[in-house]
Amino acid sequence: MSDDKDQINFPFVVEPTKSDYVIKKHKGIIHRTHLPTAMEEKIFNGFLLAAKVAIRTGDIEKFRKEGFLTSDKFIRNFSGIKIKDKEYMVERVNLIQTSLIRFDYFDQFDTFKELRTFQPITEVRFLDGGGIRFFLPPTLLEAVADPETFATIDTQITGRFTSVYSMALYEMGVLHMGGTQEFKIEEFRDYMGLKPDEYLKVTDLRRYVIDKGCNEVNLKSGMNIQYELIKEGRGGKVTGVRFVFSEAPEPLEYPSTELQLQTVAKYIGMLPLAFSGEGWVVSLFLKYLEANGEEYVQSNIESFLNRLNDKTQAPVQKPGALLQATFKHDYGKDVRNAKRVAEILAEQEEIRKSKAGDRTKKPMVFTVEDELADREAEARRELEKTYMVYFEKLPAEVQESIIEGIDKIRARKDPPMALFGNREAKITYYLAEVMGITL
């Protein structure tokens, strides 16, 4: 009898192609089937980030048994969901759970050489009050808890490269970090898995493969890739390309507390949907929140959005680069100044209305001279506040010398009348008139 009936065929198994192998070399996730839509990708990234932050506060066994706790508000802000219907979120999570991740955990370090497949999230519980409790599969839970491997997940999932060329260059950089890799043009085309008729011109190869891949890796990961074209002969024909790999000057950072996580997500929710769920945006906002505060972050986001939506100027070709430049050069300063001017004008209007109301109660005639005097007094008080802020920031020894200087002038025969006013008036006079400081 034939043994055919005892054989099991797996028609769904696909042998990896050469290009598949090329972009799946280093430890960590080597392949992940894309989730149904970009929205599911962003939601899943939010769950991963929440797990990463939470796991710093407890041991892995606790989260294996109890799962992770996050909030509906965080996931919505992080992923850019504007729809308030709870069923929409439930449906999106269900779609995530119908997908499978294919995972080669440690590659050369895994003695079992296991190829694993699993659901991205094994269980999600939507709680009363807006909480969400979720559980990760064992393999992914181990990876999230392991600082040696989470950098890979940050890039492959949270970073979410959109180009296969970015993926291939990143993988190459992992193997050659701190060094270089050189190819003949044909070798490089073969490495990147290009078809014989794809990007035959060097200008197209550079624009659509090399530049696109390098730019995305440099933007979304902790790696920096530089390259140069190798030219030979009198005509300078391009015959090869050389890549140089290094650690990015400022590696990606992620929130360490739940409060940081919620704050970052709030500001990500202000951006266009394309930016939500991006690891590099999380890192960018965290950096400036810690260094400059929320007002700085919000004003620069507003400045970025104003430019992005400005129909009188040319469309922004690289929104990611513009967002980084906006924060680096503080384009939001004008936004903050404009708000401050509006606040001052509003305060002055309130003062004017208050004084007008007081006048109606007084049985006296309020003259133009009185109005001018009031304005001068108000201006003087504002000026004194400005000088006092400056004074309080001076070193203690400098403050002491200013007070001593005031006392010496008061001891003269005909001291200025300003030095017999309140403390603010004395200090303002000395800084402005004696020291010549103009504010």
Side-chain angles (χ1 to χ4, degrees):
M1 294 179 60
S2 170
D3 293 332
D4 288 348
K5 65 178 182 180
D6 296 325
Q7 295 178 358
I8 301 176
N9 295 317
F10 297 94
F12 54 86
V13 174
V14 178
E15 289 298 321
T17 65
K18 184 175 183 180
S19 61
D20 287 334
Y21 173 74
V22 165
I23 64 173
K24 299 174 183 178
K25 285 186 175 178
H26 74 89
K27 66 180 182 178
I29 293 176
I30 60 169
H31 175 68
R32 178 168 65 91
T33 55
H34 281 285
L35 296 174
T37 70
M39 180 55 69
E40 280 72 58
E41 295 266 359
K42 296 172 187 292
I43 293 172
F44 181 46
N45 295 341
F47 280 120
L48 278 179
L49 187 56
K52 181 180 178 181
V53 171
I55 209 161
R56 294 178 178 178
T57 63
D59 62 80
I60 189 172
E61 290 304 319
K62 171 187 174 183
F63 296 106
R64 196 189 307 276
K65 296 176 181 177
E66 302 176 9
F68 298 91
L69 189 63
T70 186
S71 69
D72 179 82
K73 181 179 179 181
F74 164 70
I75 296 297
R76 288 180 182 276
N77 282 337
F78 182 83
S79 57
I81 296 176
K82 305 301 182 184
I83 300 173
K84 300 297 183 182
D85 185 7
K86 185 176 181 180
E87 273 304 312
Y88 178 82
M89 176 73 79
V90 174
E91 290 174 4
R92 301 283 76 76
V93 171
N94 287 344
L95 285 174
I96 294 173
Q97 292 179 297
T98 60
S99 303
L100 287 178
I101 288 180
R102 181 178 166 193
F103 191 90
D104 183 348
Y105 190 29
F106 283 118
D107 194 20
Q108 68 266 35
F109 299 102
D110 186 350
T111 56
F112 295 101
K113 302 291 183 183
E114 294 176 331
L115 177 63
R116 313 179 189 182
T117 60
F118 49 84
Q119 289 176 302
I121 304 175
T122 54
E123 184 178 347
V124 181
R125 305 173 186 175
F126 293 89
L127 312 176
D128 287 339
I132 300 178
R133 187 177 298 280
F134 64 98
F135 295 78
L136 296 179
T139 297
L140 195 52
L141 181 60
E142 292 167 12
V144 170
D146 187 346
E148 289 294 322
T149 60
F150 204 99
T152 301
I153 295 176
D154 283 342
T155 300
Q156 301 295 330
I157 294 182
T158 309
R160 218 175 61 261
F161 292 141
T162 59
S163 167
V164 67
Y165 309 127
S166 307
M167 183 81 75
L169 289 171
Y170 177 80
E171 302 287 356
M172 190 195 308
V174 170
L175 295 176
H176 301 281
M177 180 58 66
T180 63
Q181 182 73 353
E182 187 174 315
F183 294 90
K184 295 292 186 182
I185 288 296
E186 287 307 315
E187 292 175 344
F188 178 69
R189 290 177 56 82
D190 184 55
Y191 187 95
M192 301 302 281
L194 296 176
K195 297 176 182 178
D197 58 345
E198 280 188 297
Y199 309 126
L200 294 176
K201 294 181 180 180
V202 173
T203 51
D204 290 340
L205 181 70
R206 182 174 185 174
R207 179 180 179 183
Y208 296 109
V209 178
I210 301 176
D211 282 341
K212 184 174 182 179
C214 289
N215 289 342
E216 190 171 31
V217 171
N218 292 343
L219 180 66
K220 296 184 177 181
S221 78
M223 181 186 298
N224 183 267
I225 305 179
Q226 301 295 323
Y227 75 91
E228 61 177 324
L229 298 178
I230 302 171
K231 300 179 181 180
E232 295 180 1
R234 299 178 64 179
K237 180 182 178 181
V238 175
T239 60
V241 59
R242 179 185 297 110
F243 295 93
V244 180
F245 304 96
S246 61
E247 295 284 352
E250 297 182 6
L252 295 182
E253 297 181 6
Y254 290 93
S256 57
T257 67
E258 181 68 20
L259 178 60
Q260 284 183 334
L261 187 68
Q262 298 287 349
T263 303
V264 168
K266 178 180 73 173
Y267 289 109
I268 289 177
M270 296 175 62
L271 296 176
L273 183 60
F275 289 93
S276 58
E278 292 285 3
W280 68 270
V281 178
V282 174
S283 181
L284 179 75
F285 284 7
L286 180 62
K287 170 186 172 183
Y288 285 99
L289 280 168
E290 291 180 338
N292 305 92
E294 291 196 45
E295 186 180 14
Y296 183 98
V297 171
Q298 179 156 338
S299 62
N300 277 284
I301 291 175
E302 291 178 18
S303 176
F304 166 74
L305 293 176
N306 290 341
R307 173 62 186 90
L308 201 63
N309 299 320
D310 189 348
K311 303 302 182 182
T312 65
Q313 300 189 55
V316 176
Q317 298 299 323
K318 296 181 179 180
L322 174 62
L323 182 63
Q324 289 184 317
T326 300
F327 275 77
K328 180 179 180 181
H329 300 294
D330 190 17
Y331 296 158
K333 184 176 181 179
D334 289 342
V335 174
R336 296 195 300 277
N337 288 342
K339 286 184 177 180
R340 182 56 186 150
V341 169
E343 290 171 358
I344 292 173
L345 292 175
E347 290 171 0
Q348 291 177 346
E349 180 64 13
E350 286 298 318
I351 292 172
R352 187 193 67 77
K353 290 179 178 179
S354 176
K355 289 179 178 178
D358 288 344
R359 281 187 230 119
T360 61
K361 300 174 184 177
K362 296 177 181 178
M364 61 175 288
V365 178
F366 201 87
T367 65
V368 174
E369 288 76 11
D370 293 329
E371 176 72 23
L372 291 175
D374 279 354
R375 290 184 181 182
E376 290 177 1
E378 181 62 30
R380 187 169 59 253
R381 285 192 291 271
E382 289 297 323
L383 185 65
E384 288 174 358
K385 288 180 182 178
T386 302
Y387 274 96
M388 287 306 298
V389 169
Y390 176 85
F391 176 78
E392 296 296 341
K393 292 181 179 179
L394 295 173
E397 58 271 18
V398 176
Q399 293 182 10
E400 291 178 5
S401 67
I402 290 174
I403 299 301
E404 291 175 359
I406 291 173
D407 291 338
K408 288 180 180 179
I409 296 176
R410 279 167 54 94
R412 295 174 185 173
K413 288 185 178 181
D414 297 308
M417 291 301 296
L419 293 183
F420 288 92
N422 56 33
R423 181 171 180 268
E424 290 78 5
K426 296 174 187 176
I427 292 174
T428 298
Y429 175 86
Y430 192 87
L431 290 173
E433 301 299 331
V434 179
M435 298 182 68
I437 296 172
T438 302
L439 299 177

